[in-house]
Amino acid sequence: MIYKADPDQDVLTGLMSGDERALKELMRRHLDRIHRTAMRILGDAALAEDVAQTVFLKTWEMAPNWVSGKARLLSWMLRVTTRQCLDILKKKAPIYTDDMPDISDTSDLADKKMIKDDSAKMVRKAIERLPNRQKIALTLSYYENVSQRDGAEIMDITVGAYEALLVRARKTLKNTLIRDAEISTERPKDDRKLAL
Amino acid sequence: MTPIDKNSNMPPESEAAAELLDTQLDAALQSYTVDAPSDLLAARILKMAKATPQQKQTFQDIETGNIRQENVLWREKRYGFGIAALLLISLTFAFGTLNFAPSDTESDTAEIWLEAAADLGMSDIYDWVEGQTNSMDDTR
């Protein structure tokens, strides 16, 4: 795929010649976005900062090798971000896969009860429990407004597969949020049933 | 954000319910915001970048053979393998040539050696050896 215009071309020229001002400018443009993406995928601020740091340092280190016209710099950086996150998630929680069955998770009811009135935390928890690839697709498309074509390229899959991931992500998320809402309202009535 | 209402979890065939759930889901997703990274992060990255040398090797360098120092070791190893392979081929060829070379014991060279031996007075020894051989044949 050939991209005729990269919005970061001006910064790239500076980066390739080792100009630190270019790196500063690149961070001004994209540090928030890269950090946000990592944060949404990982759900951990410290890890997200580590990922953002790695991505920018890799960009700096590899800049002289950059071949213009093959990909947008931001797409490449998002690709590195998602791969770094996937590596961390694989080490952190290997039990989550795309084939995870729809089984009620009753392991952290106390936690759920605590956050029942805090919708943002509830959504965050639900996103954290999404299978990794669904989580990445959702984060890219919903929060970062990445097009499906770019999202597919970042994840190195076909557009069809990317769309399927998004559909599954929304479905899983919906089911999880409904289930959490049910649990948080039913628990006071019937603790014994939910403790199963 | 409006929390997802479990009562709105109507039968799946209800399109209205699905639409409502989609709207609720979008609202729920919007409620999840992320704080900006700390100011120190940018400073930390800049500091580390100053200490991190850029890889000056470009794709053009790779194409023109101007490869980096760490590749020299591998290049030397390759030459070593080449020389070893050449030696092996040479030895195999030499061994084969020696094995298949015709024997020259019946050639003119052999007669020259016999004449030389006779000149040196070794004919008596040959006669003695021949005599020994004949006597051994007679006893069998």
Side-chain angles (χ1 to χ4, degrees), chain B residues 56-105:
Chain B
K56 295 293 182 189
Q57 183 191 20
T58 66
F59 289 113
Q60 281 175 343
D61 285 337
I62 296 167
E63 281 167 14
T64 53
N66 184 17
I67 52 180
R68 278 189 293 167
Q69 195 59 36
E70 53 257 46
N71 288 338
V72 171
L73 185 63
W74 171 240
R75 194 166 49 179
E76 283 172 356
K77 275 185 185 171
R78 273 197 311 187
Y79 285 146
F81 287 136
I83 291 166
L86 199 65
L87 274 174
L88 191 66
I89 291 165
S90 306
L91 284 172
T92 309
F93 180 74
F95 184 72
T97 308
L98 285 174
N99 263 355
F100 290 105
S103 169
D104 60 355
T105 48

Side-chain angles (χ1 to χ4, degrees), chain A residues 40 53 60 65 119 143, chain B residues 1 29 32 44 54 57 59:
Chain A
R40 284 207 168 95
Q53 181 179 309
W60 167 257
N65 301 339
S119 303
Y143 290 110
Chain B
M1 163 216 157
L29 285 170
Y32 178 26
R44 202 168 69 206
Q54 285 187 305
Q57 183 191 20
F59 289 113

Side-chain angles (χ1 to χ4, degrees), chain A residues 54-72:
Chain A
T54 307
V55 170
F56 278 90
L57 284 177
K58 273 193 177 182
T59 309
W60 167 257
E61 199 181 347
M62 298 303 291
N65 301 339
W66 186 261
V67 179
S68 296
K70 284 203 168 177
R72 287 196 194 102

